[in-house]
Structures are given as C-alpha cells and as structure tokens.
C-alpha cells in the first residue's frame, strides 16, 4: 500500500489497513492478569520524537524511514494535544468551520463543490502536521506473536508506518484504530512513525462545538494475540416479559491459524454480581462460535438504582489443554422499549435526569484521566444525575465501563457533527450540507456508526444510540439509523437533527428529540397526538449564570407521560487554565484569548461545573429537581 | 420623652444634617444627595452616598437575548441618577429644608424622637422616572431605609431595583438568614432556608465576570469588617452592621465590585484589587433564565416591567 496525501481530500477514503471494528473486550494471558498486569499489552504512551510542520508542504518526507536520523526532532508527550504542547495556535470556534474567512472550500459531492473552487486540504496553508516517531522493543510477553498497534484517539487524520513500511491510514478521531503490524515488527529496535494532519475531509464531520485540537490525544498500545484469539464478542442479554428471567445470546468471532483454531475449545463461565458461579459450558472453537442462548431462571435487573452486573468469562483452551487467552466482561440484564408512546426501562417509565458531557480537563483539554472520570461520576451522584449523552463523539472506553458499574444511563453518540454545513449565523441554510444524501459521504458516516456500535455494543449502560449531533438530515443519516436498527433491535435510536427535515421523520430516531425547546413548545408537541416520546437531548443551557426556570421543565414530567426529561447542556465548562501573561497567576481562558479568530469566545463555558470541576451555584437547583426521581 | 438618653441629637448643619445617637451617628449631605456617613461606635460604614440601583452585570443569557442592549438606559440610571429634591421631617412633621438661613434658628442642643429625610432621584432615562430613598432614624438610633421606584410606561424592563451601599473596606465575612447558595427568582426551588455564613466576598468565577452572588428571600444580614480607612484607627477587632427585613424579605449581594466593574471585565484577572464592599439591597430582581443563551427570554413572571412600582425596605443598625 502506498500512502497518498490526496486521501485528505477524498471523503471516500477514511481508513486504510485498519483492523475491522470490534468489541472493546480486554483479553489476558491468564485469569490472574484480569486483576492486574496484562502481559499482552504494552503501552507506547510517553515521550515521542516530534516534528511540527506548519503546512503539509514543509513536512519531513522521510521521517518514517528506519534510516532517518531523528537527532533534530523535538520531543512531545503522548497523549497530548499538539496545541497544548505549544506548537500550534489554540483555537475555539463553535458552528462555523475553522477555516472560516481564511480558505474557501465546499465539500466534495455537493452542488457548489468543484475542484477549482475549493482549497485542497493537502496543500492548505492552515493544515499543520504533527510527525511522531518512537523507537521500541517488544516486551517479552509480546514477542513471537501477532502484534497490533491500537490508537484510542488521534485527531484528525493519521498515517502510520512501522520500520519504514506503511501500515495504514485512519480518520474518525474518537474511536479506536488498530493496525496489524505483525509482518513488519521485530523483537527489538522498531520504529513507529505517525503523521497527523489537523484537517481533512473528516473535518467536515467533526465540527463539534469545542477547541479544535489535533494530535495523538488518547493512549497508544501494542497488543499481542495468542495463536487463537477472540477478535469480537457480542453479548446480548434479554429479559422475559415479566422481568424475572433472562437469556444471554453469545457470539464470538475467533481468529487464528485454522488448524489450531479447530483444535481449540472455549470454556464460558457466568457468575453473578457476587461472583458466585452460575454456569459453565465448554464448546468447540469455530471462527464464529454461537452457542445456544444461555437461560437464567432468575435474573436481577440492571438499573440506575441497582446497577447489577453479571460476569462473563471465556477461556480459550488449546489442543494441549492449556488456557491461552482469558476474556472477562461484565453485562447486565435490562429492557428498554417504547410502549404507548412512553420510553420504558424495565417496565417503568424512563425519566432522564441527564447531562451532556464533553471530555474535558482545563489543563490537558480532551486528554482526561480515570481520576477525572471517577470525579465526574461522584458529581453525578451528588447532583442526582442519572444519564449522560456522550456529546458529540465516543468517549474513552473506560467511561462506558464505569457507567455500567455506576448505573449511569448512556446515550452513545457517534462522532458526527456537520453544523457549519447547514447553519450559518443562526439560520438554517443546508445548501451544501453533508452528509445529507451525498453518496461520497455515505461510507464515512456508516463507518462511524459501525465503529461506535461494534466497539460499545456490550455495555449495559447504553440505552440509546445517537446518530450524531446537529448534522441536518438526509438519506445517509437514515441509513445510519437503519444500520443500528438492524444490528441492535434491543436499543433505541436517537437523532435530533431530523427535526430540521421532517421528511425523514419516519426513518430517523425512535424518539422526538429537540434541543432548547421552550416548555410551551414541548407542551404543544405533547398535546397534539404525538407519535414519538419526547426528550431534550440538550436543554437548560448552563452558560455563565443560568439554569433559571427549571421548574417549568419539571412540571412537564408531572403532566405528560411521554415527556422523558433530558440532558442539561452541559457538564463542565471548556476553558483552559493558563498562566496570565501579566501577573503570572493561573487563570481561565477561552476562545479568542489566543488571538484565534474567528472565535466564539466564551461560548464553550456552559457547564454545570466550572472548568476546574468546581460546581456552579446552579447545581443546587439541579440536585433538587433531579433528586425528585 | 422623659428619658432624654434615648433621644436623637440633631445637628442642623449648613451642608448636612447630623443625626446622632449614642452608638450610631448619621450625616445626611445635601450636597452629595444622600447619607454621607453612617458610623457605629466610630466605625464608618459608607464610602459614598447610597444610590438607587438599577443595573446588574450582563449575564451570558442577557447578552444572548439582547436584554442589556434593550435596557441599556438603566445602566446610565445606575451610574447617573441625580438627586432632585430633599425633604426633612422631625418627629413626623415636615420642616422647611434646614439650610442657611433657615437653620440659623437652631442650637447646639436640638433633639428629636425621629428624623426622616427623603432624597428623590430622577433617572436619566427617556422618559424620566423617579426614585425616593427614605431614611427614618428612630430614637434608639436605628435606621429604616426604604427605596421606592415609580413605575413609568415607555421604559424598558429593569435589570433590578434596590439600593447600593458601598463600604470603604472589604468585608471579611457576612452571615444571613435566608436561602442557601446563589439564588434568583427563577432559580431558588432547590435552596434551603437557614442561617448561612460566607467568608470573604466570593465572586462566582463565571468564565466572563457577570452578575452573581444574589441571595433571595433574606430576613436578616450581618456584614463583618475588620478595617477602616481612618488613619487613626489601628483597632483590628471585627465590627458589624446588621440589616433586617422591614415587612418583606429582601434580596442582596455582597461583592467587592460594582455591577459596572464586573461589566467591564472580560476575565476575572482584569478585575481590580478587592478594596470595597458593594452591598446591594434589592426589592426586585430579574430572573437569570436558562432555556438557551442566544435569545430565549427569561420566563415572563421573572421579568421586571418598568411600569410597575417596586420598593425595598430594611432596618439597619448595630448588631444586637
């Protein structure tokens, strides 16, 4: 495979050489390693060699070569945003595209696009490039096996080489990209090289309301695979109509040399939340191992109040009887459905006391720690928040595990927002909207749906798949909805943007979702033969001194069963703690404070918490109203 | 009136009216158009004369729905309302304004059971309206402070209405009986009634400095200071001023900045050093809203129409 910089301008090329999306299960060499120390994994986080190129034209052309002398390269930390390392200007902009007023372009395939009128990303004066390079030896536990490299988050488009060989290309900044590097990697003296571009056609799909960072901002990990490996796991727990019994449908996709695979067996063990073993079953390994659903005469349901999780364990046993891989996963029994136009969870009306949550830390941006996540869940408890929308992209994988354990209902949103393509200066103007119904963009958004679904499909906490945010509506989003309904009949789909184009109303979103509707507008919908339950995917805009009038929304809960509540916008201010140039004190800064123009200035400061995670005064109101349910 | 100890001494000055009790002494200035000095046990509580309060620093929601642009006249009124008329009453009887030569009739031993003085302010709005700030000092030296806003059709909605008391040095703490947390008319359901103490004068660190620190439904408030601007006062003992409701609960904020200082800052680090106490005592507060921050109105019942009358009344005195 020969890499081409022209991929940056081709919406139909969004991944090359990547391992197909799969479940986010971890796998271990032994059962002991489930508790600590995974010898199949090796972190590549830490110090990398780095070269910053302000434009594609001046990037190093041979930095990935094994023979390249990196003596003149800088150093950077991974994970880290390149802007926060000081190389590129920090920029915050909300709806308009970041090249607003600086470069003219239109999305490929739309009516107003022509190659002549659009500035290519490949030659853009704004498209800065981060070139990363790291030497590594394989840890002992990884040597002699299949090796993959996994990137949990890289923004916006990246090319990867190992020992001078081109490995692949990936977009979709917020889901995992994996490359199989077995054929190029050695036990020692390896060089991995990553070239990250700030902008590509993917930028059209990632127009979220946030600081426009780029670079490797989540973990990079090497993974070894034993001779037979569970590549994908699907656990579908279902509940009987009387909510007392359950079934667990299991699908396992195995990889490995076929003779070895056929000689192996899989032992599946299920334990309850107290770790009492409920059943164990050994089965022959097949590429697709699909045992009869396991039946449970008695199940304890998972919910916000009682997040009961069961333990799934699979052990792959080779021909000699040795366990070569152990998989551990937690799953929960719960049932979400719509009955009589009401969203019902485990037989009871679902009331969403939710927040939208960007991943944010005022010192490190979207590089957040487990400590940040746990602090957020503690705050959820304190404020009686029971639900989170992962606005507007998939979060770090650990977040979903924690939500499973914590009983937080999740609306799992795709990495998709094309706000600037259909709304300008507040007015709806979708003449060059993507993805719309433009064929050139279908593959990219379908891949995003697939990445989100395949990675997260086993999480008990996820009740809704959200197709994305503020991307208008069209055939492509309708296809995304159809994809989720096909793959997952047990969860609901959500998408607000169809409100802008009711022609797709029957094909997009199980719920009527709006943002910032007034209580009167919501009542009007609910009074007039509503055909879908109503929820606010965003409401109570907590910008500055706000969150007045929450009672009027609470009154709707009392009055209309089809009103399901909503997600406050949003959880934590996105602002950056920096050193004041005058006093040297640590101060909070926002868009425009870095001479970045056009900017939307303080508009990212709309959390229930300040950027340093201290609660805003309005939280006492939220705690009160959310505490009623 | 046999117990002269409990009578007020009245000093009919040439530029001011002195009203003196054992502990509390008042100096009403005709030139400055208001109460120029209020000392308790010799400690000064006023930096400049109290003025009618109309403005609040623009919140993000106010900016979004263009409230401040529509109501900008009230910013001028907050800064520049002028005293137009002064009326004095002794023991309930109006007297001619006791300036020279009218005050030549008085002596060094004038007393009264009560002194009332009303300053009427005209707003620089179009159309104009007026506010009376009335001070009534009773024989025990306590003060009833009342402000009345006269509703006027044709004016934009009010951000707030009340009285602004600026104190010479920063408060070290304040205690109040009222609602927990920062509350507004449309954001106080979650608050609990009780007694609360706040150390310092925290400015809520909203990303852009804006209206903050409001406390609705307050029955009583004590402001504690430790320093004065008096060069001869080396005493570092804490001293206090108590404000009680007079008929109806009041709203207040106790901040180191005026609304205008907050208004001008785009970041907290631009705010000046904390050197005063700005105590706002309010009878009407606009809600903060929350539906969105780019146009949604505050719910109608939490807006302040300008053609309505508003008032606030409190009783002020030493801590009891």
């Amino acid at each position: 495979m020969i890499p081409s910089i022209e991929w940056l301008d081709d919406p139909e090329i969004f991944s090359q050489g990547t391992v197909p999306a799969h479940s986010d299960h971890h796998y271990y060499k032994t059962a002991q390693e489930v508790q600590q120390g995974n010898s199949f994994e090796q972190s590549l986080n830490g110090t990398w060699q780095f070269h910053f190129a302000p434009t594609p034209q001046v990037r190093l052309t041979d930095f990935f070569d094994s023979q390249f002398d990196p003596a003149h390269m800088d150093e950077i930390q991974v994970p880290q945003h390149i802007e926060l390392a000081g190389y590129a200007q920090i920029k915050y902009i909300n709806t308009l595209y970041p090249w607003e007023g600086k470069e003219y372009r239109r999305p490929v395939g739309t009516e107003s696009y022509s190659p002549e009128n659009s500035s290519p990303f490949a030659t853009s004066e704004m498209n800065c490039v981060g070139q990363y390079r790291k030497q590594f030896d394989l840890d002992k536990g990884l040597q002699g096996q299949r090796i993959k490299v996994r990137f949990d988050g890289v923004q916006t488009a990246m090319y990867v080489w190992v020992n001078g060989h081109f490995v692949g290309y990936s977009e979709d900044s917020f889901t995992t990209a994996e490359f199989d590097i077995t054929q190029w990697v050695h036990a020692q003296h390896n060089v991995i090289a990553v070239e990250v571009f700030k902008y590509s056609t993917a930028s059209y799909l990632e127009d979220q309301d946030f600081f426009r960072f780029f670079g490797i901002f989540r973990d990079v990990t090497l993974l070894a695979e034993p001779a037979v490996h569970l590549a994908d796991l699907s656990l579908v727990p279902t509940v009987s109509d009387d909510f007392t019994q359950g079934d667990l449908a299991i699908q396992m996709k195995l990889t490995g040399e076929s003779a070895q695979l056929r000689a192996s067996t899989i032992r599946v063990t299920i334990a309850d939340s107290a770790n009492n073993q409920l059943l164990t079953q050994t089965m022959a390994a097949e590429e697709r191992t699909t045992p009869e659903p396991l039946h449970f005469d008695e199940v304890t349901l998972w919910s916000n109040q009682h997040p009961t999780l069961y333990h799934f364990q699979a052990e792959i046993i080779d021909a000699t009887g040795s366990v070569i891989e152990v998989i551990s996963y937690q799953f929960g029994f719960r049932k979400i459905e719509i009955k009589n136009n009401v969203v019902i969870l485990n037989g009871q009306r679902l009331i969403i006391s939710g927040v939208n949550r960007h991943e944010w830390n005022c010192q490190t941006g979207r590089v957040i720690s487990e400590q940040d996540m746990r602090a957020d869940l503690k705050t959820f408890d304190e404020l009686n928040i029971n639900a989170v929308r992962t606005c507007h992209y998939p979060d770090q994988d650990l977040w979903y595990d924690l939500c499973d354990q914590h009983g937080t209902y999740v609306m799992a949103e795709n990495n998709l927002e094309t706000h600037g393509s259909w709304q300008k200066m507040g007015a709806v103007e979708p003449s060059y909207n993507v993805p719309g119904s433009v064929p050139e963009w279908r593959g990219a958004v379908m891949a995003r749906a697939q990445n989100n679904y395949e990675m997260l499909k086993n999480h008990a906490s996820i009740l809704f798949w959200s197709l994305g945010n503020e991307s208008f509506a069209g055939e492509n989003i309708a296809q995304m909805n159809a994809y989720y309904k096909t793959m997952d009949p047990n969860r609901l789909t959500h998408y607000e943007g169809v409100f802008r184009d009711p022609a797709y109303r029957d094909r997009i979103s199980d719920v009527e979702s709006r943002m910032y509707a007034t209580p009167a507008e919501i009542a009007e919908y609910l009074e007039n033969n509503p055909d879908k339950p109503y929820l606010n995917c965003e409401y109570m805009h907590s910008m500055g001194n706000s969150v007045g009038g929450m009672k009027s929304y609470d009154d709707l809960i009392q009055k209309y069963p089809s009103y399901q509540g909503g997600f406050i916008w949003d959880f934590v201010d996105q602002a950056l703690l920096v050193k004041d140039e005058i006093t040297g004190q640590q101060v909070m800064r926002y868009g425009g404070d870095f001479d970045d123009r056009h900017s939307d200035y303080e508009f990212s400061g709309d959390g229930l918490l300040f950027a340093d995670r201290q609660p805003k005064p309005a939280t006492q109101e939220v705690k009160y109203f959310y505490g009623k349910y | 009136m046999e117990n002269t100890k409990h009578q007020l001494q009245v000093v009919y000055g040439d530029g001011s009216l002195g009203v003196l009790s054992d502990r509390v002494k008042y100096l009403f200035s005709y030139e400055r158009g208001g109460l120029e000095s209020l000392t308790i046990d010799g400690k000064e509580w006023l930096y400049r004369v109290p003025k009618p309060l109309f403005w609040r620093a623009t919140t993000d929601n106010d900016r979004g729905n263009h409230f401040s642009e529509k109501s900008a006249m009230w910013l001028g009124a907050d800064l520049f309302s002028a005293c137009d008329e002064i009326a004095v009453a002794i023991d309930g009887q109006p007297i001619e304004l006791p300036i020279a030569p009218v005050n030549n009739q008085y002596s060094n031993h004038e007393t009264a059971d009560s002194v009332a003085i009303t300053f009427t302010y005209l707003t620089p709005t179009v159309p104009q309206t007026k506010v009376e700030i009335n001070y009534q000092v009773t024989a025990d030296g306590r003060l009833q402070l009342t402000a009345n806003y006269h509703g006027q059709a044709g004016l934009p909605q009010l951000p707030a209405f009340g009285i602004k008391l600026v104190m010479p040095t920063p408060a070290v703490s304040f205690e109040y009986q009222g609602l927990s947390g920062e509350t507004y008319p449309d954001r106080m359901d979650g608050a609990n009634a009780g007694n609360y103490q706040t150390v310092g004068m925290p400015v809520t660190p909203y990303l852009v400095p804006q209206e903050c620190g409001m406390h609705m439904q307050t029955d009583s408030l004590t402001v504690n200071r430790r320093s004065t601007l008096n060069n001869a006062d080396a005493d570092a003992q804490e001293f206090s001023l108590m404000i009680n409701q007079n008929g109806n609960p009041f709203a207040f904020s106790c901040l180191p900045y005026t609304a205008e200082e907050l208004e001008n800052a785009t970041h907290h680090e631009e705010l000046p050093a904390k050197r005063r106490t700005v105590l706002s005592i309010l009878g009407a507060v606009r809600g903060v809203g929350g539906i969105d921050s780019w146009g949604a109105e505050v719910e109608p019942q939490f807006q302040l129409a300008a053609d309505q009358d508003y008032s606030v009344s409190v009783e002020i005195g030493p801590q009891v």
Side-chain angles (χ1 to χ4, degrees):
Chain A
M1 193 168 18
I2 300 166
S4 167
I5 196 169
E6 290 176 6
W7 295 349
L8 298 178
D9 285 287
D10 187 346
E12 296 185 276
I13 296 180
F14 42 83
S15 71
Q16 296 287 317
T18 50
V19 173
H22 57 76
S23 58
D24 61 355
H25 65 281
H26 292 268
Y27 58 94
Y28 308 86
K29 194 166 189 175
T30 65
Q32 284 77 23
E33 287 188 4
V34 175
Q35 303 309 321
Q36 56 175 20
N38 188 344
S39 62
F40 284 151
E41 293 191 5
Q42 178 180 345
S43 173
L44 288 185
N45 289 354
T47 306
W48 288 50
Q49 291 158 323
F50 184 72
H51 178 259
F52 176 77
T55 68
Q57 287 66 46
V58 299
R59 74 195 196 280
L60 304 173
T61 53
D62 56 351
F63 82 105
F64 50 83
D65 196 286
S66 305
Q67 305 308 313
F68 177 81
D69 178 7
H72 298 294
M73 292 181 83
D74 295 346
E75 287 188 342
I76 197 169
Q77 291 303 302
V78 167
Q80 186 180 28
H81 300 298
I82 292 169
E83 290 82 354
L84 297 189
Y87 288 98
Q89 187 177 23
I90 295 169
K91 181 175 181 73
Y92 165 63
I93 189 168
N94 173 15
T95 59
L96 295 178
Y97 281 102
W99 48 84
E100 168 67 20
K102 297 183 175 161
E103 289 184 345
Y104 183 93
R105 60 169 60 89
R106 288 290 180 268
V108 172
T110 59
E111 218 165 86
S112 49
Y113 169 82
S114 77
E116 292 73 38
N117 77 358
S118 275
S119 169
F121 291 107
T123 55
S124 162
E125 289 292 313
M126 295 176 67
N127 199 3
C128 39
V129 190
Q131 296 181 296
Y132 295 77
R133 192 181 147 104
K134 188 178 181 72
Q135 294 185 31
F136 65 93
D137 298 334
L138 287 181
D139 286 352
K140 263 218 166 68
L142 280 76
Q143 291 177 13
Q145 301 173 85
R146 293 204 75 77
I147 301 293
K148 291 187 298 188
V149 59
R150 182 179 73 203
F151 295 87
D152 287 337
V154 179
Q155 200 154 18
T156 300
M158 73 164 161
Y159 297 75
V160 182
W161 293 261
V162 169
N163 294 330
H165 300 278
F166 181 63
V167 166
Y169 172 80
S170 180
E171 297 176 355
D172 193 5
S173 309
F174 295 88
T175 54
T176 293
E178 279 181 2
F179 303 94
D180 189 328
I181 58 172
T182 310
Q183 58 178 307
W184 297 296
V185 77
H186 318 302
Q188 290 181 309
H189 309 306
N190 298 288
V191 173
I192 183 167
V194 183
E195 187 169 66
V196 184
F197 289 82
K198 182 152 182 169
Y199 300 117
S200 77
T201 51
S203 305
Y204 273 111
L205 307 177
E206 298 181 2
D207 194 34
Q208 287 94 340
D209 176 12
F210 57 20
F211 281 89
R212 307 303 176 106
F213 295 134
F214 85 121
I216 304 175
F217 72 98
R218 289 182 185 163
D219 293 344
V220 184
T221 313
L222 292 167
L223 300 152
E225 287 179 3
V228 180
H229 164 66
L230 178 66
D232 183 56
L233 171 68
S234 165
L235 298 173
V236 181
T238 50
V239 184
S240 63
D241 288 345
D242 65 358
F243 301 102
T244 61
Q245 301 181 32
D247 289 287
L248 178 68
I250 305 171
Q251 285 187 53
M252 293 176 279
K253 286 183 195 160
L254 300 175
T255 53
E257 194 273 317
S258 62
Q260 275 178 301
L261 199 158
R262 276 198 306 274
S264 303
T265 55
I266 309 173
R267 182 164 59 224
V268 168
T269 307
I270 308 290
D272 67 14
S273 56
N275 246 334
N276 300 309
Q277 192 172 311
L278 299 179
L279 58 88
T280 183
Q281 207 176 85
T282 303
M283 57 201 77
E286 297 169 61
E287 276 185 20
R288 280 166 191 264
T289 306
T290 310
E292 281 295 304
L294 305 177
H295 183 72
F296 298 80
D297 287 335
E298 200 181 318
V299 290
T300 306
L301 300 179
W302 179 95
S303 70
N304 176 247
Q305 299 298 322
H306 303 284
T308 307
L309 292 173
Y310 288 73
H311 301 276
F312 167 92
Q313 183 174 284
E315 294 157 289
I316 299 178
I317 301 163
D318 71 6
T320 70
S322 303
V323 172
I324 57 169
E325 183 175 285
V326 179
I327 295 92
S328 176
Y329 210 96
Q330 293 186 305
F331 66 96
F333 289 98
R334 82 276 178 283
K335 187 176 205 171
I336 178 122
E337 57 195 326
I338 295 176
K339 272 190 176 169
N340 301 322
N341 220 25
V342 178
V343 178
I344 303 282
L345 178 70
N346 296 341
Q348 292 184 322
R349 175 188 176 200
L350 175 67
I351 294 171
I352 298 168
S353 299
V355 287
N356 284 273
R357 176 179 170 278
H358 272 288
E359 291 186 311
W360 190 253
N361 177 297
C362 64
Q363 289 174 289
T364 54
R366 285 189 291 277
V367 181
I368 65 164
S369 66
E370 178 174 347
Q371 194 185 346
D372 292 331
M373 296 184 221
R374 290 191 183 275
D376 290 352
L377 287 171
K378 189 162 173 281
T379 305
F380 283 17
D381 283 342
E382 285 161 5
L383 302 184
N384 302 308
I385 292 165
N386 72 1
V388 65
R389 175 176 179 228
T390 66
C391 63
H392 300 298
Y393 42 79
D395 290 341
Q396 275 185 50
D397 188 38
L398 177 63
W399 176 247
Y400 303 89
D401 292 334
L402 296 176
C403 288
D404 291 345
Q405 293 161 15
H406 192 258
T408 299
Y409 304 139
V410 176
M411 174 177 279
E413 191 149 277
N414 278 320
N415 176 22
L416 175 62
E417 175 163 346
T418 66
H419 208 152
S421 79
W422 63 272
Q423 191 169 41
K424 290 105 185 177
M425 296 198 291
V428 174
E429 202 293 293
S431 55
Y432 72 82
N433 171 239
V434 284
S437 302
V438 186
E440 288 89 337
W441 294 82
R442 180 164 307 162
V445 296
M446 293 303 287
R448 282 166 189 247
Q450 191 176 9
N451 291 343
N452 189 45
Y453 168 75
E454 292 292 356
M455 186 171 81
L456 301 174
K457 58 183 177 271
N458 296 323
H459 286 282
S461 55
I462 297 174
L463 304 183
F464 298 90
W465 296 113
S466 179
L467 308 181
N469 183 61
E470 299 189 303
S471 300
F472 204 64
E475 186 61 29
N476 291 337
I477 287 176
Q479 294 284 333
M480 291 169 82
N481 193 90
Y483 167 80
Y484 279 111
K485 297 311 283 183
T486 305
M487 300 306 291
D488 191 352
N490 297 313
R491 291 187 179 96
L492 303 179
T493 59
H494 162 271
Y495 183 64
E496 176 270 346
V498 67
F499 175 70
R500 306 283 180 179
D501 192 353
Y504 290 92
R505 183 176 173 77
D506 295 341
R507 297 173 61 199
I508 296 175
S509 191
D510 290 324
V511 290
E512 173 77 7
S513 171
R514 297 189 200 168
M515 43 177 73
Y516 310 108
T518 64
E521 288 165 345
I522 298 166
E524 192 192 349
Y525 169 79
L526 291 167
E527 293 279 357
N528 289 285
N529 304 312
D531 56 344
K532 294 179 182 180
Y534 180 96
L535 65 80
N536 296 302
C537 67
E538 296 176 19
Y539 80 121
M540 284 274 99
H541 194 257
S542 182
M543 183 177 180
N545 193 346
S546 183
V547 194
M550 197 166 171
K551 182 178 186 300
S552 299
Y553 290 97
D554 185 64
D555 290 344
L556 297 170
I557 296 180
Q558 318 296 331
K559 199 166 177 194
Y560 302 104
S562 291
Y563 179 76
Q564 312 285 164
F567 300 87
I568 289 174
W569 187 267
D570 57 359
F571 185 64
V572 56
D573 278 3
Q574 297 173 73
L576 286 165
L577 190 69
V578 302
K579 197 166 104 176
D580 180 21
E581 63 282 1
I582 304 297
T583 65
Q585 301 293 305
Q586 293 286 302
V587 295
M588 271 322 160
R589 291 285 163 86
Y590 48 79
D593 287 343
F594 307 94
D595 291 345
D596 49 316
R597 304 288 190 281
H598 170 63
S599 179
D600 285 289
Y601 303 94
E602 68 273 23
F603 195 72
S604 62
D606 24 36
L608 290 176
L609 311 185
F610 294 106
D612 62 1
R613 287 190 157 70
Q614 292 302 306
K616 286 186 186 172
T619 52
Q620 86 171 353
E621 200 76 352
V622 174
K623 178 186 173 78
Y624 169 74
F625 283 113
Y626 278 5
K628 292 171 75 176
Y629 307 102
Chain B
M1 311 310 134
E2 288 166 30
N3 190 348
T4 52
K5 234 180 109 181
H6 287 111
Q7 277 207 310
L8 298 166
Q9 190 189 344
V10 184
V11 180
Y12 294 93
D14 291 327
S16 57
L17 183 72
V19 179
L20 315 176
S21 71
D22 284 355
R23 293 182 63 193
V24 193
K25 301 183 195 312
Y26 301 89
L27 199 62
F28 295 96
S29 168
Y30 310 130
E31 288 174 297
R32 297 290 169 190
L35 177 60
E36 188 179 6
S37 171
L38 188 171
T39 62
I40 299 174
D41 302 329
K43 305 278 190 183
E44 181 59 70
W45 280 94
L46 291 176
Y47 183 66
R48 293 289 185 269
V49 299
K51 285 286 180 74
L53 183 157
F54 300 103
W55 195 247
R56 74 174 188 199
T58 303
T59 67
D60 288 309
N61 289 345
D62 290 339
R63 217 180 320 276
N65 59 36
H66 303 281
F67 172 74
S68 297
E69 293 161 24
K70 289 180 279 194
S71 291
M73 269 197 267
W74 294 117
L75 172 61
D78 194 80
L79 287 167
F80 302 119
S81 287
C83 179
D84 179 59
E85 198 183 326
I86 304 170
V88 178
I90 304 295
D91 293 335
Q93 294 302 312
I95 61 168
E96 190 177 354
L97 190 67
I99 54 174
V102 175
N103 64 341
N104 288 342
Q105 65 184 290
Y106 296 111
S107 70
N108 190 34
H109 41 81
E110 301 293 338
T111 58
D113 288 321
S114 74
V115 175
I117 181 163
T118 302
F119 297 87
T120 301
Y121 300 88
L122 294 179
T123 62
T125 54
V126 184
Q128 213 166 36
T129 186
K130 65 178 180 181
V131 171
E132 291 131 9
I133 295 185
N134 171 265
Y135 300 85
Q136 184 135 355
V137 185
T138 49
D140 56 4
R142 297 186 70 77
L143 168 68
Q144 282 181 24
L145 173 59
T146 304
N148 295 309
Y149 165 84
H150 291 257
Q152 171 68 56
L155 286 171
Q157 288 182 15
L158 290 160
F161 175 69
I163 308 163
K164 187 181 344 183
L165 300 175
V166 182
M167 300 170 186
T169 61
V172 292
S173 66
F174 59 88
E175 291 119 40
Y176 66 95
Q177 188 181 338
L179 298 179
S180 60
E182 182 189 89
T183 46
Y184 289 87
D186 56 353
R187 204 184 73 205
M188 56 188 212
D189 288 302
N192 296 309
N195 291 296
Y196 300 96
Q197 190 194 33
T198 304
V199 175
M201 293 179 288
V203 178
T204 316
Y206 296 120
L207 206 45
V208 174
Q210 55 195 271
E211 158 63 31
C212 65
M214 188 62 66
H215 300 280
M216 303 299 297
Q217 297 287 332
T218 309
D219 290 320
S220 70
L221 165 69
T222 305
V223 178
N224 306 307
R225 290 161 58 218
R226 193 173 278 143
S227 59
T228 68
L229 296 181
N230 179 354
N231 61 293
D233 180 8
D235 178 19
Q237 288 287 310
E238 217 170 273
F239 56 97
S240 305
L241 181 75
M242 195 165 181
I243 296 113
N244 288 307
Q245 64 130 306
N246 184 25
N248 289 304
F250 60 96
F252 79 95
S253 66
C254 185
L255 298 168
Y257 305 119
T258 62
E260 289 76 15
E261 285 171 319
L262 291 167
E263 187 76 71
N264 277 336
T266 63
H267 296 82
H268 285 264
E269 60 269 25
E270 296 160 17
L271 289 164
K274 298 180 180 185
R275 57 176 78 244
R276 314 275 176 236
T277 301
V278 180
L279 176 65
S280 302
I281 297 173
L282 300 137
V285 178
R286 171 180 161 86
V288 286
I291 291 171
D292 68 38
S293 304
W294 48 90
E297 260 301 343
V298 169
E299 292 183 291
Q301 66 270 36
F302 305 115
Q303 301 173 5
L304 302 179
D307 60 358
Q308 307 288 308
D309 294 346
Y310 298 103
S311 68
V312 62
S313 185
V314 291
E315 196 193 63
I316 292 180
Q319 196 173 20
V320 285

